Amino acid sequence: MTKDQSFSITAKLTGKISTENPVYDFTSKEIKTEKRKFSEEELDTLRKMGWLGDDFETFLVILSFLDDSGIMDDVPDSYIAEVFCNARKFGVGEFYDDPYIKNVKFDDVKKGKFLLTTAVYEKGELFLYDAPDFSKDIIVPKIGFFTGKVTFPTFYEGSMPWMSVCPSEINSMKAQMDAAHGRVLVLGCGLGYYQYVVSEKENVESVTIVEISEEIAEIFKEHILPNFSNKEKINIICSDAIKYMDTVKDGDYDFVFADIWEGIIDGAGHYKNIKPHENRLKNTEFTYWIGDQIEYYLEGDCEDDEPRRES
């Protein structure tokens, strides 16, 4: 299997998860019953193939999804093994212990076309917990599910979920959160998860947010920012991020995180507009949400816009 072929299968699976929201909610009794259908020799073979790890429930959930997707006879065992290896079961308590989830509280807010509210993952509902790793020779989806029902902050634009603070959002920004330092410029506001985390860092002096939508900026300032323990570090500017970058001078910021797109295709144009500023602002470190995936797309190897934001 080539890298392009693996990406094509991955795009199909991620599309199925995003559009169908499949749920595989097995009881403890059902899990034990299903496990008894396999002999010890068969279970040992599955372990050697890399399909079965320490948790049979995860194996059962992912196997059920792959069977329903109709790909089991069309892809090599090595691809399936990578899917199983990257699958993850999330505990409810683990998610609710996240500092942002724990501390940022709000009532539903409607302003213009935007609604700040909460969304739900049901027990056993599949989601993408992170972007695929495009540095690998085989690209597979990172599929997760929760052990129970969870709620999480979400922005709706009209009737469509636009952005959520869910595992995919958290994990796909982790490297950029860890790297942030000094005077940080964030292009795009969203629900403020990134801004919350980096404002908690001792080596971050300030966080300037550039947000094009007045409604989003107002909702953030009035209903989300008051929950921040280091709100004095935050400054929000209502402006077009691309135009704002033209006004930035070398030395204004130490670190930039660009996050003004939903997926690869709509991000490619913005990425190409921001990237040249790296040569102009030599004392500023630049990072991008799903930057590796956008680079892969711009090289001409990618024909789909996955991953998009998980909602």
Side-chain angles (χ1 to χ4, degrees):
M1 170 176 272
T2 67
K3 187 171 185 175
D4 289 349
Q5 289 171 333
S6 71
F7 179 83
S8 179
I9 297 297
T10 294
K12 176 182 177 181
L13 295 178
T14 55
K16 186 176 180 67
I17 291 172
S18 298
T19 58
E20 299 180 14
N21 306 114
V23 178
Y24 298 94
D25 180 6
F26 295 101
T27 65
S28 297
K29 183 178 180 181
E30 288 171 333
I31 295 169
K32 291 178 181 178
T33 299
E34 290 298 318
K35 187 173 184 178
R36 283 197 291 267
K37 294 179 181 179
F38 294 86
S39 68
E40 284 301 321
E41 291 76 12
E42 289 172 327
L43 292 173
D44 189 53
T45 297
L46 290 171
R47 294 186 187 98
K48 291 178 180 177
M49 293 171 62
W51 289 24
L52 176 62
D54 296 331
D55 182 65
F56 188 82
E57 181 181 8
T58 301
F59 165 76
L60 181 60
V61 167
I62 301 304
L63 180 65
S64 300
F65 170 64
L66 295 176
D67 277 339
D68 290 346
S69 300
I71 69 161
M72 295 294 285
D73 295 329
D74 301 326
V75 299
D77 290 347
S78 57
Y79 178 90
I80 301 298
E82 286 296 315
V83 174
F84 280 116
C85 181
N86 282 276
R88 182 175 173 190
K89 179 170 71 174
F90 290 81
V92 174
E94 172 188 4
F95 181 70
Y96 285 141
D97 278 342
D98 180 277
Y100 179 100
I101 298 296
K102 186 184 296 184
N103 296 320
V104 175
K105 307 296 182 184
F106 52 80
D107 296 323
D108 286 3
V109 180
K110 181 76 164 62
K111 192 176 290 288
K113 61 183 178 180
F114 293 103
L115 171 65
L116 174 63
T117 184
T118 55
V120 172
Y121 278 136
E122 300 293 345
K123 178 180 181 292
E125 181 175 348
L126 299 190
F127 55 83
L128 305 171
Y129 70 82
D130 201 353
D133 187 347
F134 278 57
S135 68
K136 301 289 187 181
D137 292 332
I138 296 179
I139 301 171
V140 299
K142 296 187 177 182
I143 306 172
F145 63 96
F146 277 105
T147 57
K149 181 178 178 179
V150 299
T151 60
F152 49 92
T154 299
F155 258 133
Y156 276 80
E157 183 177 1
S159 60
M160 296 296 294
W162 172 62
M163 180 179 288
S164 301
V165 178
C166 55
S168 63
E169 190 74 9
I170 294 169
N171 291 318
S172 62
M173 298 189 298
K174 190 176 187 307
Q176 295 88 344
M177 291 187 291
D178 290 344
H181 60 91
R183 296 158 297 169
V184 176
L185 175 63
V186 183
L187 305 181
C189 182
L191 284 151
Y193 184 89
Y194 181 90
Q195 296 87 330
Y196 179 92
V197 172
V198 301
S199 70
E200 295 287 303
K201 298 180 63 175
E202 291 185 1
N203 66 337
V204 167
E205 177 184 332
S206 63
V207 181
T208 300
I209 305 164
V210 181
E211 170 57 47
I212 193 170
S213 167
E214 291 183 8
E215 291 94 342
I216 292 294
E218 289 176 10
I219 292 173
F220 174 78
K221 286 190 289 188
E222 295 172 10
H223 301 278
I224 297 177
L225 183 57
N227 296 279
F228 284 33
S229 57
N230 290 306
K231 61 181 72 65
E232 71 282 354
K233 289 185 178 182
I234 307 294
N235 177 43
I236 186 162
I237 299 169
C238 196
S239 176
D240 181 291
I242 303 300
K243 293 179 180 178
Y244 181 81
M245 285 305 303
D246 292 332
T247 72
V248 176
K249 299 179 177 61
D250 196 21
D252 285 352
Y253 300 101
D254 302 300
F255 188 89
V256 173
F257 175 52
D259 183 17
I260 55 173
W261 43 81
E262 291 187 59
I264 294 174
I265 287 181
D266 77 299
H270 295 312
Y271 179 84
K272 288 192 291 185
N273 285 328
I274 298 169
K275 192 73 174 172
H277 289 288
E278 292 187 21
N279 293 325
R280 186 174 65 85
L281 307 174
K282 298 185 181 299
N283 293 306
T284 303
E285 180 181 352
F286 281 74
T287 59
Y288 305 84
W289 182 67
I290 61 169
D292 290 344
Q293 290 85 340
I294 293 174
E295 286 279 5
Y296 184 75
Y297 170 75
L298 291 173
E299 290 170 1
D301 295 324
C302 170
E303 299 180 355
D304 207 310
D305 63 343
E306 295 294 344
R308 295 184 69 82
R309 291 207 127 90
E310 179 80 2
S311 302

